[in-house]
């Protein structure tokens, strides 16, 4: 390995963000190129086909499948109401007639003369896609969706749960070391996105969701508390679709870990501004990390940051991301070329780090990430 | 050099070289994170793996072209070997002196591998056969749908829609039997109007391998909405399973319709001299051919970051399963969720509380490329590996079974009732366990790999153990499709590291009670005689090239496969670790008491020199 892999999570004061807002199926766009949109605005809508139900008409009427068509009162494409008669057997005697009714309101999709099944489809469900971030529509994909662009402060988390949420940013604590506890959650936090420091407790998360807090951004969380929030033990790290009443974004990891100073100060400086957050995380091929986007006012000035390569060089600030020095921050002192034998007896590439507390340690390069303070 | 040109099934030209002219072979495995390239060269009369280069796989943004990663891996090989392989971005063929290669072969599991859904009329019959066919072809089966799976039709349709597989395999009905069940499933697939995972503008490949009498109707139902292909019925009669035609068709479709839409694969496919194989299919091929050649029964395992594959060959029956969410980095948290905290903690030889374990596991999941730095960190990962391997093996045993529905079937209603069927995996008949994957292949001490394999698989009687040295089974598997001898030679000489053998007793007893007397007669005349009480692990020296006569006499209540109290006499082969005698019993019970557990785990590890 030529250099250590670093997840390269971005923390940018000002950067250009583009978000594709795409419908799951072709539909109608309600904005056009150049339009200014707010995060809550609908940009496209469509209808999702309804659920399909099958009715065993041949079985119900006691007739061979190939004869089902003959007995159908409603034909393919016809609308049907719930409990409406779909098919009826013919008999001279009224009380010998067998009928088959529709279990749903919808339309007749197909009639099979092989299986004797009739497929019914529920009415379509309307689906709306919102802008998610305030900005300008810069691209239009006919019938599919739009791309919204904005200049924003941008923070990537390492892990999250819960989907997209929009709210005003509010500080739940005063420093990156502080723990967000229930007493830090107040009624006026309803609809807000709260920033915690080194930890948010389960009790605080529970109180927050009951108080209508939309999201919490924290340095660390205990896995036991995450389990309590989700109601189950998370197995595979593919998240974003949980319906847990709030979106949680963790910036550093599992345990009590101070939020990186730069991240905390950036979020603090945007207090009161509207933020768009998404906890969706996918840690495997095609990595997706959770995000916090805070669109800046039009008059925002200053240089835009572009993502930098994350190779490690002497003098870089790094954070240790595995025991025994997990969470500690230091400066790269040297990058020895030769493989070194570590405590486990494995031979690995190492990095020498001068910790901020003064001591020097030698650890595997795979166990650090480059950070910006 | 004589070049043979043949046409592939899809009409593409494939240049085949006479096996005797193969002097330099270039092979890659494009994995989901790393592309590994190896060079195999003919040195004198033997084939040996000589150099290895690797580079991150480049299927994802920003590159979105698998060939970039392959080129980088080739460049590293060039640097290490001094052989010029590339002319710009072209592989130089054929080989002359220190320039070029004769053939290039590759496997791939990048972009999540081949993901399939299978559907069959009866869950324990055609659906299970379909599942075995898909797994055997190297797929990850995302779900199994069956007429009797207790789901409502709309639930099945929703599932098909949500999964977005790469391919669907549909089966059902014996030839000449009922058509309605399988047609019903086809109608549901059509109603879902499924979309392919890659290449959204293309129709989803659906392979029909069911009752041949239903082919016309199935075509009518599915032809318009899917890319429908037909293969021979994989369950032509209740008594027979015919998986090969479906497996081959799946691999063809994988190349032509799945891989072809993955970024850069069209180009990669023009470079390779033989079709690209799904990685697990290639690993399966090399294990199967080893079993066949040596006439032995094998269990192979490949534990990765996201998935664990298990392969077995018993009496010629090949089975492969994949546990899609059991692995040691991306899926590590799922091992904890599935095995439970207690089962992980029982392998940890020091005091660790649940909260600490949980946080450490989650931190590994979110930062999957970190490595254990402390001994305790390593012991924790190896504890989790044991459980991942155990769970994957359990899943394997439940699918590696004989055909269900035979003999007892009188009418179709009976086949809907589940019968308990014996697994094909017989630990007493097992000759060799092969481990592969970072945690086993790269364990700092080989004895640690031995201990993990024994604890997870719980071999019985005498079983040999080995590991894949640098994960080259995929490369050798695909090579075996054109030059089986070269593949086997490299497999024996450079790939398979013999760890040694394990002798294990069945049944349980009290710690310390008399259990087993052994006599080891070495080739050089040395002799060891010992009495081993119950509950011990012992290691005896027996090197990789050594063999010894082993005589073992269990006491009345213990069994070595010959019956309780019956002696076993056999010849055992050694390995880099040696001969392990395991009198801990089967099933293996680990004390619940923490102090006792820790003491025992430490004693066992130290007996093997693992820690």
């Amino acid at each position: 390995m030529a250099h250590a892999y670093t997840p390269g999570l971005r923390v940018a004061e000002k950067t250009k963000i583009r978000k594709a807002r795409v419908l799951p199926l072709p539909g109608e766009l309600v904005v056009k190129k150049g339009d200014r949109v707010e995060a809550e605005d609908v940009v496209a809508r469509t209808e999702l086909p309804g659920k399909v139900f099958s009715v065993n008409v041949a079985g119900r009427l006691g007739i061979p499948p190939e004869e089902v068509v003959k007995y159908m009162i409603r034909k393919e494409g016809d609308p049907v109401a719930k409990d409406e008669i779909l098919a009826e057997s013919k008999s001279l005697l009224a009380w010998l007639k067998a009928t088959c009714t529709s279990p749903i309101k919808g339309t007749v999709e197909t009639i099979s003369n092989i299986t004797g099944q009739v497929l019914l489809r529920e009415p379509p469900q309307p689906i709306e896609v919102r802008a998610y971030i305030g900005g300008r529509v810069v691209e239009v994909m006919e019938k599919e969706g739009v791309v919204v662009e904005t200049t924003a402060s941008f923070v990537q988390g390492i892990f999250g749960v819960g989907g997209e949420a929009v709210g005003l940013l509010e500080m739940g604590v005063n420093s990156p070391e502080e723990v967000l506890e229930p007493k830090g959650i107040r009624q006026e936090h309803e609809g807000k996105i709260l920033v915690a420091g080194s930890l948010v407790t389960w009790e605080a998360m529970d109180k927050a969701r009951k108080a209508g807090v939309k999201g919490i951004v924290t340095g660390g969380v205990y896995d036991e508390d995450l389990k309590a929030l989700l109601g189950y033990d998370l197995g595979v790290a593919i998240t974003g679709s949980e319906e847990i009443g709030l979106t949680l974004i963790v910036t550093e990891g599992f345990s009590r870990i101070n939020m990186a100073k730069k991240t905390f100060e950036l979020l603090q400086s945007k207090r009161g501004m509207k933020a768009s957050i998404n906890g969706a995380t996918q840690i495997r091929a095609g990595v997706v990390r959770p995000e916090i986007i805070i669109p800046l006012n039009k008059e925002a000035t200053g240089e835009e940051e572009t993502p930098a390569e994350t190779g490690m060089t002497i003098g870089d600030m790094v954070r240790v991301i595995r025991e025994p020095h997990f969470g500690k921050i230091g400066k790269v002192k040297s990058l020895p070329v030769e493989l070194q034998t570590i405590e486990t007896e494995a031979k690995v590439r190492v990095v020498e780090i001068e910790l901020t507390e003064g001591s020097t340690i030698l650890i595997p390069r795979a166990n650090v990430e480059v950070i910006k303070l | 050099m004589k070049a043979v040109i043949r046409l592939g099934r899809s009409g593409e030209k494939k240049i085949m070289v006479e096996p005797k002219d193969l002097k330099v072979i270039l092979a890659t495995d494009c994995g989901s994170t790393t592309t590994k390239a190896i060079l195999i060269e003919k040195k004198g009369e033997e084939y040996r793996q000589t150099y290895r280069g690797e580079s991150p796989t480049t299927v994802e943004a920003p590159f979105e072209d698998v060939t970039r990663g392959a080129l980088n891996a080739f460049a590293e090989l060039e640097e290490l070997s001094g052989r010029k392989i590339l002319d710009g971005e072209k592989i130089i063929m054929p080989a002359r002196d220190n320039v070029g290669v004769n053939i290039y072969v590759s496997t791939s599991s990048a972009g999540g591998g081949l993901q399939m859904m299978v559907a069959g009329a009866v869950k324990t019959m055609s659906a299970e056969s379909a599942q075995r066919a898909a797994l055997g072809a190297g797929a990850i089966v995302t779900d199994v749908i069956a007429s009797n799976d207790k789901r409502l039709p709309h639930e099945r349709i929703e599932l098909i829609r949500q999964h977005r597989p790469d391919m669907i395999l549909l089966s059902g009905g014996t030839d000449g039997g009922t058509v309605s069940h399988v047609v019903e499933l086809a109608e549901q697939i059509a109603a879902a109007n499924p979309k392919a995972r890659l290449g959204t503008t293309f129709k989803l490949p659906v392979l029909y391998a069911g009752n041949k009498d239903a082919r016309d109707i199935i075509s009518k139902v599915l032809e318009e909405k899917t890319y429908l292909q037909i293969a021979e019925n994989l369950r032509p009669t209740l008594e027979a399973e015919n998986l090969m035609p479906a497996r081959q068709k799946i691999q063809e479709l994988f190349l032509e319709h799945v891989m072809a839409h993955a970024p850069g694969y069209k180009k990669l496919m023009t470079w390779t001299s033989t079709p690209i194989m799904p990685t697990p299919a290639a690993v399966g091929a090399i294990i199967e051919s080893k079993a066949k050649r040596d006439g032995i029964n094998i269990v192979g395992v490949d534990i990765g970051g996201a998935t664990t594959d298990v392969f077995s060959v018993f009496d010629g029956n090949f089975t492969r399963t994949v546990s899609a969410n059991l692995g040691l980095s991306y899926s590590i948290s799922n091992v904890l969720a599935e095995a439970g905290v207690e089962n992980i903690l029982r392998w940890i030889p020091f005091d660790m509380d649940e909260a600490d374990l949980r946080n450490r596991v989650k931190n590994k999941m979110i930062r999957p490329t970190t490595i254990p730095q402390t001994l305790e960190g390593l012991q924790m990962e190896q504890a989790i590996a044991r459980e991942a391997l155990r769970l994957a093996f359990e899943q394997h045993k439940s699918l590696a079974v004989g055909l269900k529905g035979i003999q007892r079937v009188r009418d179709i209603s009976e086949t809907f009732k589940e019968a308990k069927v014996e697994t094909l995996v017989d630990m007493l008949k097992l000759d060799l366990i092969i481990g592969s994957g970072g945690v086993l292949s790269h364990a700092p001490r080989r004895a640690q790999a031995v201990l993990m394999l024994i604890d997870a698989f719980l071999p019985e009687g005498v079983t040999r153990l080995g590991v894949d040295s640098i994960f080259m089974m995929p490369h050798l598997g695909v090579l075996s499709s054109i030059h089986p001898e070269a593949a086997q030679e490299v497999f024996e000489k450079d790939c398979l590291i013999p760890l040694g053998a394990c002798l294990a007793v069945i049944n349980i007893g009290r710690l310390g009670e008399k259990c087993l007397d052994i006599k080891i007669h070495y080739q050089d005349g040395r002799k060891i005689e010992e009495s081993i009480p119950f509950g011990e692990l012992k290691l005896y020296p027996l090197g990789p090239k050594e063999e010894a006569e082993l005589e073992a006499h269990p006491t009345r209540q213990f069994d070595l496969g010959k019956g309780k109290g019956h002696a076993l006499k056999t010849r055992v082969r050694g390995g880099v670790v040696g001969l392990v005698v395991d009198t801990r019993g089967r099933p293996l019970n680990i004390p619940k008491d923490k102090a006792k557990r820790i003491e025992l785990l430490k004693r066992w590890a130290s007996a093997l020199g693992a820690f």
Side-chain angles (χ1 to χ4, degrees):
Chain A
M1 198 161 45
H3 60 82
Y5 166 85
T6 53
L9 299 178
R10 289 188 68 199
V11 178
E13 168 75 36
K14 188 180 177 191
T15 189
K16 203 160 268 176
I17 299 285
R18 289 164 74 98
K19 283 278 156 194
R21 310 298 296 162
V22 183
L23 289 165
L25 286 173
E28 170 207 2
L29 303 184
V30 296
V31 291
K32 53 187 189 309
K33 194 172 171 180
D35 281 358
R36 243 208 91 70
V37 288
E38 286 302 318
E40 299 85 350
D41 292 348
V42 172
V43 293
R45 57 169 63 102
T46 189
E47 289 184 330
L48 275 187
K51 280 183 186 163
V52 174
F53 285 81
S54 71
V55 182
N56 186 353
V57 173
R60 296 258 197 101
L61 299 188
I63 53 170
E66 58 272 20
E67 287 182 25
V68 165
V69 180
K70 278 200 288 186
Y71 293 88
M72 289 296 294
I73 292 173
R74 293 279 169 231
K75 306 293 176 203
E76 281 184 11
D78 284 356
V80 286
K82 190 172 187 301
D83 300 327
E84 189 181 328
I85 295 174
L86 278 177
E88 197 172 51
S89 67
K90 291 161 192 156
S91 172
L92 293 171
L93 301 168
W95 52 271
L96 274 180
K97 264 189 192 175
T99 58
C100 181
T101 56
S102 169
I104 57 154
K105 177 181 182 291
T107 48
V108 178
E109 177 130 324
T110 55
I111 301 166
S112 171
N113 58 3
I114 306 294
T115 59
Q117 302 272 354
V118 170
L119 294 185
L120 305 174
R121 198 181 280 276
E122 281 189 335
Q125 282 176 303
I127 293 278
E128 288 180 340
V129 170
R130 293 175 193 274
Y132 171 54
I133 53 170
R136 200 167 291 282
V137 178
V138 292
E139 203 183 314
V140 166
M141 294 158 284
E142 210 50 52
K143 291 187 178 170
E144 283 181 31
V146 298
V147 175
V148 180
E149 187 183 277
T150 190
T151 302
S153 292
F154 180 65
V155 175
Q156 268 182 319
I158 188 103
F159 175 80
V161 286
E164 293 176 354
V166 178
L168 300 182
L169 205 60
E170 184 57 75
M171 302 309 288
V173 295
N174 296 313
S175 77
E177 297 84 30
E178 215 177 303
V179 177
L180 179 59
E181 288 176 297
K183 62 177 190 291
I185 314 280
R186 295 186 299 276
Q187 206 46 56
E188 65 261 32
H189 290 154
E190 184 181 352
K192 303 254 167 78
I193 290 161
L194 275 185
V195 179
S198 57
L199 185 73
V200 56
T201 62
W202 150 243
E203 292 77 13
M205 289 191 277
D206 193 41
K207 187 176 173 191
R209 65 175 169 187
K210 283 176 184 150
V213 171
K214 289 225 178 139
I216 294 177
V217 183
T218 177
V221 70
Y222 289 129
D223 184 43
E224 281 173 322
D225 292 351
L226 176 73
K227 186 180 169 190
L229 176 71
L230 293 172
Y232 57 90
D233 214 347
L234 182 82
V236 181
I238 297 174
T239 68
S241 57
E242 300 77 16
E243 285 175 10
I244 44 171
L246 98 159
T247 293
L248 175 73
I249 295 180
V250 181
T251 61
E252 318 300 320
F254 289 87
S255 188
R256 181 178 171 173
I257 315 167
N258 299 343
M259 185 181 287
K261 204 165 153 237
K262 184 182 175 186
T263 310
F264 189 83
E265 285 172 357
L266 176 65
L267 296 174
Q268 202 169 30
S269 72
K270 305 297 174 223
R271 182 181 181 173
M273 291 174 73
K274 195 189 273 182
S276 303
I277 65 171
N278 188 354
T281 309
Q282 195 173 320
I283 310 167
R284 50 175 66 192
V287 180
V288 175
R289 295 284 184 184
E291 62 189 13
I292 303 144
I293 301 166
I294 310 151
L296 301 171
N297 297 331
K298 267 177 271 174
E299 56 271 23
T301 53
E303 283 294 294
E304 271 181 27
E305 292 172 34
T306 46
E309 279 298 311
T310 51
M312 199 176 0
T313 51
I314 291 169
D316 279 349
M317 291 306 290
V318 291
R319 184 200 349 244
V320 184
I321 52 175
R322 182 143 185 165
E323 289 76 15
H325 301 283
F326 189 64
K328 288 188 181 160
I329 289 170
K331 193 185 276 182
V332 176
K333 197 173 166 192
S334 72
L335 291 158
V337 179
E338 298 78 29
L339 300 181
Q340 306 238 351
T341 305
I342 56 173
E343 189 189 314
T344 61
E345 297 176 4
K347 287 191 174 66
V348 298
R349 270 184 214 284
V350 294
V351 53
E352 191 184 13
I353 301 167
E354 202 177 305
L355 295 177
T356 42
E357 62 202 49
S359 56
T360 300
I361 54 168
L362 204 64
I363 63 166
R365 281 192 210 179
N367 292 356
V368 297
E369 66 188 11
V370 177
I371 54 164
K372 285 176 184 157
L373 285 182
Chain B
M1 178 177 300
K2 186 177 159 193
V4 181
I5 300 193
R6 76 174 171 88
L7 286 176
R9 284 177 193 252
S10 55
E12 89 278 28
K13 266 184 195 171
K14 287 287 170 201
I15 298 170
M16 297 289 289
V17 180
E18 284 287 302
K20 67 178 173 52
D21 294 329
L22 284 181
K23 297 272 191 290
V24 187
I25 299 158
L26 174 65
T28 52
D29 170 52
C30 305
S32 47
T33 47
T34 321
T35 297
K36 289 141 285 202
I38 61 167
L39 213 52
I40 293 169
E41 294 175 85
K42 195 168 185 180
K43 301 270 181 193
E45 278 311 299
E46 60 173 8
Y47 285 97
R48 297 302 294 258
Q49 183 267 329
T50 49
Y51 296 96
R52 179 178 192 270
E54 66 173 51
S55 177
T57 297
T58 49
V59 169
E60 314 284 341
F63 304 101
E64 292 185 349
D65 179 357
V66 72
T67 61
R68 307 306 322 161
L71 287 170
N72 291 341
F74 297 158
E76 196 170 312
L77 265 188
E78 282 185 322
E79 220 170 273
L80 293 168
S81 66
R83 172 173 291 278
K84 188 169 164 51
I85 298 170
L86 294 170
D87 176 12
E89 290 195 356
K90 244 185 107 181
I91 300 171
I92 303 168
M93 281 191 211
R96 266 194 326 270
D97 304 324
N98 216 16
V99 176
V101 300
N102 294 115
I103 54 159
Y104 168 49
V105 293
S106 188
T107 58
S108 173
S109 59
L114 166 61
Q115 302 189 6
M116 289 183 68
M117 266 185 117
V118 303
V122 182
K123 203 172 173 187
T124 53
M125 292 167 60
S126 51
E128 199 171 277
S129 294
Q131 198 181 353
R132 277 194 284 263
L135 288 163
I140 287 172
V141 175
T142 59
D143 214 321
V144 180
I145 287 172
S147 303
N148 65 335
D149 63 8
K150 299 198 176 96
R151 292 181 180 123
L152 293 169
H154 74 86
E155 289 173 333
R156 285 191 208 121
I157 293 166
E158 275 304 305
L159 261 180
I160 300 166
R161 224 185 252 159
Q162 281 166 11
H163 273 267
R164 295 196 73 155
D166 292 318
M167 202 187 298
I168 296 177
L169 171 61
L170 171 64
S171 172
T174 51
D175 284 342
T178 169
V179 295
S180 63
H181 284 93
V182 71
V183 171
E184 197 178 296
L185 287 170
E187 284 170 354
Q188 288 165 7
I189 292 171
N193 196 11
K195 298 276 176 285
R197 188 168 64 102
L198 300 167
T200 45
T201 52
F202 300 91
K203 282 184 184 173
L204 178 79
V206 173
L207 178 62
Y208 175 65
N211 183 356
K212 62 179 194 291
D213 297 350
R215 283 180 189 170
D216 289 344
I217 309 162
I218 298 282
S219 295
K220 272 188 209 133
V221 177
L222 287 173
E223 221 162 36
E224 248 179 56
K225 292 188 170 170
T226 66
Y227 178 75
L228 181 71
Q229 293 287 294
I230 310 266
E232 282 174 46
N233 191 354
L234 48 78
R235 201 71 190 264
T237 63
L238 285 177
E239 293 77 19
E241 196 173 57
N242 178 26
L243 304 181
M244 250 327 173
R247 266 168 66 176
Q248 279 166 354
K249 199 80 196 169
I250 291 167
Q251 289 187 3
E252 268 173 44
L253 284 168
F254 170 69
L255 272 177
E256 293 163 18
H257 287 269
V258 182
M259 280 289 89
H261 299 150
Y265 276 84
K266 261 194 180 139
K267 205 196 302 178
L268 189 72
M269 282 155 77
T270 64
W271 292 359
T272 58
S273 317
T274 179
I276 299 171
M277 262 172 121
T279 305
V283 175
I286 195 78
I287 289 177
E288 202 176 357
S289 76
K290 162 88 181 161
K292 204 170 167 186
R293 218 175 64 130
D294 295 359
I296 57 172
N297 297 323
I298 301 184
V299 164
V301 64
D302 174 21
I303 177 165
T307 61
T308 296
D309 279 86
V310 182
F311 307 83
S312 71
V313 188
F314 278 89
D315 302 326
N317 289 304
F318 171 79
T319 312
R320 175 216 167 214
T321 52
V322 56
S323 301
N325 291 319
L326 293 176
L328 284 185
S329 61
Y330 304 111
S331 306
I332 192 167
S333 179
N334 198 52
V335 179
L336 181 76
E338 280 196 26
V341 173
E342 279 304 306
N343 275 328
I344 306 275
L345 285 174
R346 73 187 171 128
W347 299 114
I348 293 184
F350 54 90
D351 193 5
M352 186 181 209
D353 70 29
E354 179 179 340
D356 189 21
L357 173 71
R358 286 183 159 280
N359 289 333
R360 285 184 189 223
V361 164
K362 283 286 190 306
N363 281 324
K364 169 83 179 185
M365 174 188 81
I366 57 175
R367 293 183 168 99
T369 53
T370 60
I371 57 171
Q373 184 188 344
T374 60
L375 222 44
E376 290 194 347
L378 181 72
Q379 286 166 332
M380 183 194 82
E381 284 206 13
Q382 293 189 351
I384 299 168
R386 284 170 168 86
E387 285 302 301
L389 292 168
R390 179 183 68 82
L391 290 171
F393 193 41
E394 268 177 21
Q395 289 179 8
H396 182 84
K397 283 191 273 194
S398 66
L399 198 70
V401 289
L403 298 184
K404 290 172 189 164
I406 304 175
Q407 290 164 356
R408 60 181 298 282
V409 176
R410 292 291 174 267
D411 61 80
I412 192 75
S413 67
E414 249 189 290
T415 66
F416 281 74
K417 292 176 197 157
E418 286 201 25
K420 193 164 169 59
V421 177
E422 291 279 305
T423 175
L424 296 171
V425 176
D426 180 346
M427 298 310 283
L428 280 170
K429 281 192 187 165
L430 176 60
D431 298 294
L432 172 64
I433 301 175
I434 303 173
S436 181
V439 73
L440 293 169
S441 295
H442 300 145
R445 294 189 194 177
R446 296 286 185 203
Q448 292 161 3
V450 167
L451 201 48
M452 280 185 272
L453 288 174
I454 295 176
D455 287 345
F457 289 91
L458 299 175
E460 297 171 359
V462 177
T463 315
R464 276 154 57 207
L465 307 168
V467 287
D468 177 359
S469 60
I470 53 165
F471 194 58
M472 61 166 118
M473 286 204 280
H475 309 76
L476 301 180
V478 61
L479 177 62
S480 73
S481 68
I482 45 173
H483 198 334
E485 294 79 20
Q488 273 305 329
E489 190 168 10
V490 179
F491 181 74
E492 300 292 345
K493 289 177 177 162
D494 298 309
C495 174
L496 184 68
I497 295 180
L499 295 172
C502 172
L503 171 73
V505 298
I506 309 167
N507 211 357
I508 44 173
R510 271 179 300 109
L511 280 179
E513 79 171 293
K514 188 169 166 56
C515 175
L516 186 69
D517 289 322
I518 59 156
K519 286 182 193 162
I520 306 168
H521 300 263
Y522 288 92
Q523 283 162 315
D524 61 5
R526 275 178 303 143
K527 243 191 242 177
I528 292 180
E529 277 188 42
E530 259 188 39
S531 184
I532 309 167
F534 181 80
E536 296 294 327
L537 268 185
K538 288 266 186 180
L539 177 68
Y540 298 93
L542 192 62
K545 302 238 156 92
E546 283 184 300
E547 284 190 8
E549 292 295 333
L550 173 70
E551 216 181 303
H553 297 267
T555 53
R556 272 199 315 198
Q557 71 193 87
F558 298 105
D559 188 358
L560 292 168
K562 301 278 177 195
K564 281 186 182 172
H566 287 269
L568 173 85
K569 270 188 189 176
T570 187
R571 207 171 172 77
V572 284
R573 270 195 252 172
V576 293
V577 175
L579 170 65
V580 178
V581 178
D582 181 356
T583 60
R584 299 175 302 169
R586 300 287 184 268
L588 174 58
N589 289 325
I590 296 184
K592 294 251 184 294
D593 175 73
K594 197 193 287 175
K596 209 164 189 175
R597 183 197 83 213
I598 292 173
E599 188 222 311
L600 268 180
L601 290 175
K602 281 185 173 163
R603 194 159 93 206
W604 294 336
S606 131
L608 293 197
F611 285 102

